[in-house]
């Protein structure tokens, strides 16, 4: 009789394992203190979180700190994570809380809006130097600014983070129907705010 | 060019009663499901049919869709930020500096519970004189007065630490390199089986534990040959095969993975094929081979577990095996190694193996001789605490036998004694925190994977209060 054992090297298995692992599995490893698995998750979700904080009007100089804070909280809460919950939902719940805490603690939303306006307007570059596409983007960005915090959060999570409505509902702790209704009205409002040229 | 807006000005509330060709205009939620691609095909087809007939809805959906596209055009790629990744990884605590996952997550309330538990148990230990230096597991054991047996959400902290240590030394390929931890190469698969068993019986299949189990199962399945045998064909094969089969059956009991079932099927067929004419199992099924109690025990455990999980007892293999086992009991209720009253390495562990196996078979197979059950019980009753605290392997079966005897309520004092002893010997610091030193009579064969897995299994079964699908 003969034993057939897979001859994959430990390294190749480990690499393939990390790549093939679901986020939930990786988070399971993180729960056991595995920093390599944590690094994989950080690299995967860091751009998305930067984008999230950007779209939620976090001042550009603070975004890195908020991303860092979100991942540190993720690591500290790792024991509370259960594999039955979708990892992405868990992460964005944390990120949303970090963002809420940020605005609440610093109470700088108004000044932030002013900073962002400055960023968008980019003093020194005249409108004449911009193409039509930039103008349109600016218009859309400004329109997004007009949304309420509640509506903007739903739009940002759906459009820019690619989260499903059910996930957004879980993150914001609201009914999924409310998410869809907010999204619907937000799009209607944005449509009105955006002026298009023929 | 974008449609200006009939649709945008529609009031959806009013519009809900608007029908075109008996299809209702979709409400905001349906619209968003449709645009977000979260609608099933049948409903989406209905909406499309409706759009073909209702210009208002068509324009509205076009406008909303165009707005979504405009928003998406703002999307910016945030590229790799290795500097930030490094900063984050630096900011999280090092694994090595942690005292353990469970402790990390402790709330103040749990801490207070632990502290209270610690005080109570310390008083018990001092009061009952359980702080001993004459434990039977080996020389030079530093006995700690600290107790770790307080439960956190029903989990034994000592068992959690056991699992953490085992997880930390599992290879990425899913196996435990038993040799590098002091075990003999020929028993490597059996030791892997024991480690997997510790996880499968832990009752805690969350996060890390599930992953460890999954990796281990995959590794063991890779070690099964066409005939169903786990590992190589050698003199130790039935030890290896029996233990791995039990571990995989336990894993199947908690996962119900069909792939696992197929593998277990083959493993059980192999076990039946190796059964000797006498009904027992020896090291290899060859002419002149004599069955012995320890090898038979593991095969019977696999068959018993399979019967409890719904497998048929093909060829009455289980029945014949139990009959052989029963035939090993002598008039004093003790089991012999190859025949009644045959005790080449002492009698207590063999007796515990027999009692545990026969007791746990009740409900699956009828045990023919009730007088024999009484004799077994009397033999177990006669065990002194020091007889129970022998070596990790022996203690495990003694605990299992006493536990299966102890039907409801109360704690056998000998089990409590064993529990305290094991907890006191668990490594509390350093890289091996959570493990046990392989300092007993079998340590040279099994190494640290053996001592840790078996001690963890023993603590797990002592602290378990309720019956499970498994024999104990």
């Amino acid at each position: 009789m003969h034993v057939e054992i897979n001859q994959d090297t430990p390294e190749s298995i480990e690499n393939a394992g990390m790549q093939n692992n679901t986020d939930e599995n990786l988070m399971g490893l993180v729960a056991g203190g595995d920093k390599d698995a944590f690094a994989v998750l950080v690299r995967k979700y860091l751009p998305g979180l930067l984008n999230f904080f950007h779209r939620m009007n976090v001042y550009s100089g603070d975004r890195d700190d908020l991303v860092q804070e979100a991942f540190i909280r993720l690591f500290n809460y790792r024991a509370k994570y259960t594999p039955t919950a979708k990892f992405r939902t868990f992460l964005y719940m944390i990120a949303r809380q970090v963002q809420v805490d940020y605005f609440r603690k610093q109470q700088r939303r108004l000044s932030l809006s002013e900073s962002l306006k400055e960023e968008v307007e980019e003093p020194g570059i005249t409108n004449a130097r911009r193409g039509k596409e930039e103008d349109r983007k600016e218009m859309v960005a400004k329109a997004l600014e007009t949304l309420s915090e509640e509506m903007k959060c739903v739009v940002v999570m759906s459009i820019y983070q690619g989260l499903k409505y059910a996930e957004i509902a879980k993150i914001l702790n609201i009914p999924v129907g409310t998410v869809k209704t907010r999204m619907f009205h937000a799009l209607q409002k944005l449509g009105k705010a955006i002026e298009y040229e023929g | 060019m974008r449609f200006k807006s009939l649709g945008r000005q529609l009031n959806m509330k009013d519009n809900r009663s608007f029908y075109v060709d008996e299809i209702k205009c979709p409400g905001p939620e349906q619209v968003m499901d449709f645009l977000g691609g979260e609608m099933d095909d049948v409903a989406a087809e209905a909406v499309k049919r409706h759009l073909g007939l209702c210009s208002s809805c068509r324009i509205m959906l076009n406008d909303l869709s165009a707005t979504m596209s405009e928003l998406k055009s703002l999307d910016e790629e945030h590229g790799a930020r290795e500097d930030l990744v490094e900063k984050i990884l630096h900011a999280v605590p090092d694994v090595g500096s942690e005292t353990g996952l469970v402790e990390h997550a402790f709330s103040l309330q749990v801490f207070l519970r632990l502290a209270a538990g610690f005080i109570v148990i310390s008083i018990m230990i001092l009061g009952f004189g359980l702080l001993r230096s004459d434990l039977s597991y080996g020389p030079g054991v530093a006995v700690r007065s600290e107790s770790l047996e307080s439960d956190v959400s029903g989990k034994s902290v000592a068992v959690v630490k056991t699992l953490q240590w085992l997880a930390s030394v599992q290879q990425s390929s899913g196996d435990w390199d038993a040799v590098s931890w002091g075990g003999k190469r020929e028993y490597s698969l059996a030791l892997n089986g024991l480690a997997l068993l510790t996880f499968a019986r832990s009752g805690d299949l969350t996060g890390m534990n599930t992953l460890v189990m999954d990796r281990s199962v995959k590794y063991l399945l890779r070690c099964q040959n066409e005939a169903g045998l786990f590992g190589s064909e050698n003199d130790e094969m039935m030890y290896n095969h029996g233990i791995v089969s039990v571990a995989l059956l336990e894993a199947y009991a908690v996962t119900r993975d069909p792939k696992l079932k197929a593998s277990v099927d083959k493993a059980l067929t192999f076990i039946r094929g190796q059964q000797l004419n006498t009904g027992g199992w020896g090291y290899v099924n060859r002419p002149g081979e004599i069955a012995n109690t320890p090898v038979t025990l593991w095969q019977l455990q696999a068959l018993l577990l399979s019967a409890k999980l719904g497998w048929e007892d093909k060829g009455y293999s289980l029945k014949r095996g139990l009959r052989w086992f029963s035939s090993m009991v002598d008039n004093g209720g003790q089991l012999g190694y190859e025949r009644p009253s045959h005790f080449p390495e002492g009698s207590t562990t063999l007796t515990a193996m027999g009692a545990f196996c026969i007791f746990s078979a009740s409900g699956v197979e009828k045990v023919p001789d009730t007088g024999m059950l009484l004799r077994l019980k009397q033999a177990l009753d006669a065990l002194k605490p020091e007889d129970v605290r022998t070596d990790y392997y022996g203690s495990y079966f003694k605990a299992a036998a006493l536990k299966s005897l102890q039907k409801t309520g109360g704690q056998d004092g000998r089990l409590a004694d064993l529990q305290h002893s094991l907890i006191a010997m668990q490594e509390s610091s350093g890289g091996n925190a959570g493990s046990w030193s392989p300092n007993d009579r079998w340590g040279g064969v099994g190494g640290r994977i053996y001592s840790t897995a078996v001690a963890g299994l023993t603590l797990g079964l002592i602290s378990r209060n309720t019956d499970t699908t498994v024999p104990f």
Side-chain angles (χ1 to χ4, degrees):
Chain A
M1 243 175 282
H2 200 64
V3 183
E4 287 181 14
I5 298 179
N6 190 322
Q7 293 300 314
D8 286 347
T9 63
E11 290 76 18
S12 69
I13 290 168
E14 187 166 29
N15 290 337
M18 277 294 182
Q19 296 305 320
N20 296 333
N21 250 332
T22 62
D23 295 340
E24 288 69 29
N25 284 350
L26 287 168
M27 194 55 202
L29 287 170
V30 175
D34 188 335
K35 276 182 83 172
D36 289 340
F38 182 66
V40 173
L41 290 171
V42 171
R43 287 193 174 91
K44 181 173 178 182
Y45 283 96
L46 184 140
L49 287 195
L50 276 171
N51 182 285
F52 173 70
F53 290 125
H54 171 49
R55 289 292 157 215
M56 291 307 293
N57 285 5
V58 171
Y59 176 57
S60 60
D62 292 336
R63 283 174 212 152
D64 283 10
D65 289 347
L66 263 63
V67 169
Q68 183 173 339
E69 171 67 13
F71 279 116
I72 289 171
R73 284 195 200 180
L74 173 72
F75 193 84
N76 290 341
Y77 293 160
R78 65 197 186 281
K80 294 182 180 173
Y81 173 76
T82 56
T84 48
K86 202 166 179 179
F87 168 76
R88 192 166 65 161
T89 310
F90 186 67
L91 176 65
Y92 275 93
M93 282 169 97
I94 292 171
R96 167 69 174 161
Q97 195 52 51
V98 167
Q99 178 241 320
V100 168
D101 291 347
Y102 170 77
F103 283 129
R104 189 181 293 147
K105 281 177 190 167
Q106 304 203 24
Q107 296 188 340
R108 55 191 293 187
R109 196 168 179 183
L110 283 175
S111 60
L112 267 174
S113 298
E114 291 306 312
S115 308
L116 282 166
K117 273 181 192 168
E118 284 170 20
E119 272 190 11
V120 171
E121 286 169 11
E122 292 175 75
I125 303 174
T126 64
N127 284 344
R129 288 171 59 192
R130 293 178 180 172
K132 266 189 178 177
E133 196 170 322
E134 280 75 15
D135 286 343
R136 182 179 283 181
K137 281 188 177 178
E138 184 184 330
M139 201 183 301
V140 176
K142 275 184 180 172
L144 198 55
E145 289 297 308
T146 65
L147 293 179
S148 67
E149 159 78 8
E150 287 178 340
M151 280 187 177
K152 185 159 55 188
C153 195
V154 169
V155 171
V156 167
M157 286 183 170
S158 173
I159 301 283
Y160 300 113
Q161 309 305 316
L163 297 169
K164 301 276 183 200
Y165 298 134
E167 289 178 89
I168 299 170
K170 258 191 181 168
I171 293 165
L172 300 178
N173 197 24
I174 56 176
V176 69
T178 306
V179 173
K180 293 174 193 173
T181 309
R182 277 186 195 172
M183 188 71 186
F184 177 83
H185 291 300
L187 290 176
Q188 282 200 319
K189 194 173 177 190
L190 286 168
K192 281 180 189 168
I194 301 168
E195 289 182 12
Y196 294 92
E197 294 179 11
Chain B
M1 179 70 184
R2 179 178 175 131
F3 293 97
K4 279 266 185 197
S5 218
L6 271 174
R8 198 180 294 150
Q9 289 160 12
L10 281 177
N11 181 330
M12 292 304 292
K13 269 187 181 171
D14 295 339
N15 207 35
R16 281 184 178 170
S17 59
F18 179 71
Y19 285 80
V20 175
D21 196 23
E22 295 187 355
I23 301 172
K24 198 176 179 180
C25 289
E29 289 185 32
Q30 291 167 294
V31 167
M32 293 322 303
D33 280 339
F34 182 77
L35 287 174
E38 292 192 33
M39 183 174 261
D40 65 62
D41 291 345
V42 176
E45 274 307 311
V47 172
K48 281 179 191 168
R49 278 203 306 279
H50 178 81
L51 292 178
L53 299 165
C54 176
S55 61
S56 301
C57 284
R58 195 164 57 243
I59 292 168
M60 175 197 67
L61 274 155
N62 278 338
D63 283 355
L64 292 175
S65 176
T67 303
M68 285 173 89
S69 298
E70 295 288 354
L71 286 168
K72 282 174 185 166
S73 75
L74 280 186
D75 208 356
E76 289 170 13
E77 278 292 314
H78 288 261
R81 284 282 312 278
E82 204 51 36
D83 60 328
L84 186 52
V85 172
E86 289 305 318
K87 201 173 160 193
I88 291 164
L89 295 178
H90 249 84
V92 296
D94 255 323
V95 180
S97 68
E98 292 180 340
T99 52
L101 180 61
V102 173
E103 286 81 351
H104 193 85
F106 279 178
S107 63
L108 178 62
Q109 190 185 0
V110 174
F111 172 74
L112 290 173
R113 279 175 57 196
L114 262 183
F118 169 69
I119 292 165
V120 169
I121 290 159
S122 298
I123 291 168
M124 281 172 63
I125 290 170
L126 289 168
F128 291 100
L130 293 173
L131 260 175
R132 284 180 297 259
S133 58
D134 61 345
L135 295 169
S136 312
Y137 293 92
V141 177
V143 180
R144 286 180 285 129
S145 59
E146 172 191 13
S147 170
L148 300 172
E149 69 184 272
S150 306
D151 284 349
V152 182
S153 307
K155 295 175 191 171
S156 157
V157 174
V159 174
V160 170
K161 283 176 172 292
T162 308
L163 299 178
Q164 283 176 346
W165 184 81
L166 284 170
S168 73
V169 299
Q170 188 189 31
Q171 308 282 302
S172 58
S173 47
D175 68 319
W176 280 272
D177 183 4
V179 176
S180 72
W181 290 101
K184 296 259 190 208
R185 187 173 302 281
E186 54 267 38
Y187 291 105
S188 187
L189 271 189
L191 296 168
N192 270 272
L194 289 172
L196 171 61
L197 204 52
T198 315
F199 282 88
R201 284 186 179 159
S202 69
D204 180 12
L205 298 178
T206 54
M208 173 190 69
N209 294 350
T210 310
L211 267 159
V212 171
M213 257 186 69
D214 187 49
R215 281 178 173 179
S216 171
V217 165
K218 282 176 181 159
Y219 167 76
L220 290 171
L221 293 187
R222 291 201 297 274
C223 295
Q224 189 175 32
N225 70 13
E226 279 305 307
L229 170 68
F230 294 104
S232 309
E233 194 173 9
N234 56 30
D235 278 357
E236 290 76 29
M237 72 178 190
M238 290 315 289
Y239 252 128
N240 286 318
H241 184 79
I243 291 174
V244 171
S245 298
V246 169
L248 289 176
L249 273 156
E250 295 279 17
Y252 175 74
V254 291
T255 63
R256 304 284 167 168
D257 181 347
K259 282 181 201 158
L260 204 44
K261 187 170 190 277
S263 170
V264 167
D265 253 338
K266 283 167 67 178
L268 292 171
T269 302
F270 189 86
I271 287 174
R272 292 185 197 107
Q274 289 293 314
Q275 191 167 24
L276 302 173
N277 290 334
T278 55
W281 282 264
Y283 289 101
V284 185
N285 186 356
R286 59 192 164 198
E289 182 75 15
I290 298 172
N292 69 71
T293 296
V295 172
T296 299
L297 172 113
W298 285 106
Q299 319 313 316
L300 274 182
Q301 280 301 295
L303 292 173
L304 262 173
L305 195 47
S306 71
K308 291 196 175 189
L309 291 168
W311 264 273
E312 183 194 346
D313 182 21
K314 289 180 186 168
Y316 302 105
S317 203
L318 174 59
K319 198 184 282 286
R320 290 194 294 130
L322 283 170
R323 196 173 297 153
W324 180 88
F325 228 63
S326 302
S327 73
M328 292 294 108
V329 184
D330 65 16
N331 289 337
Q334 295 186 313
L335 254 84
Y337 180 72
E338 291 179 346
R339 57 186 180 277
S341 305
H342 177 222
F343 310 120
E345 303 248 15
S347 64
T348 56
T349 299
L350 293 173
T351 299
M353 283 177 167
F356 156 60
C357 201
I358 290 168
F359 289 151
S360 60
S362 61
V364 177
E365 282 294 332
K366 191 179 170 194
V367 179
D369 181 357
T370 48
M372 181 196 67
L373 288 180
L374 193 61
R375 294 201 299 280
L376 280 171
K377 185 182 177 306
Q378 284 168 346
L380 284 182
D381 286 343
L383 287 176
K384 298 184 183 104
E386 56 269 29
D387 296 327
V388 178
R389 275 182 284 109
T390 47
D391 52 79
Y392 296 113
Y393 195 64
S395 293
Y396 167 69
F397 286 106
K398 288 162 192 168
L402 291 174
K403 191 79 179 177
S404 57
L405 198 61
Q406 176 195 327
K407 292 293 178 194
T408 50
Q411 171 79 303
D412 189 311
R414 294 167 294 182
L415 289 177
D417 173 83
L418 176 60
Q419 187 180 35
H420 292 315
S421 300
L422 287 173
I423 288 171
M425 289 189 299
Q426 190 175 28
E427 304 264 11
S428 61
S429 59
N432 288 329
S435 71
W436 276 264
S437 172
N439 53 8
D440 73 350
R441 63 192 297 198
W442 307 116
V445 175
R448 193 172 285 268
I449 300 294
Y450 145 77
S451 51
T452 302
V454 177
L457 275 169
T458 309
L459 282 178
L461 81 89
I462 292 174
S463 62
R464 196 175 298 138
N465 291 321
T466 52
D467 271 350
T468 62
T469 54
V470 298
F472 57 92

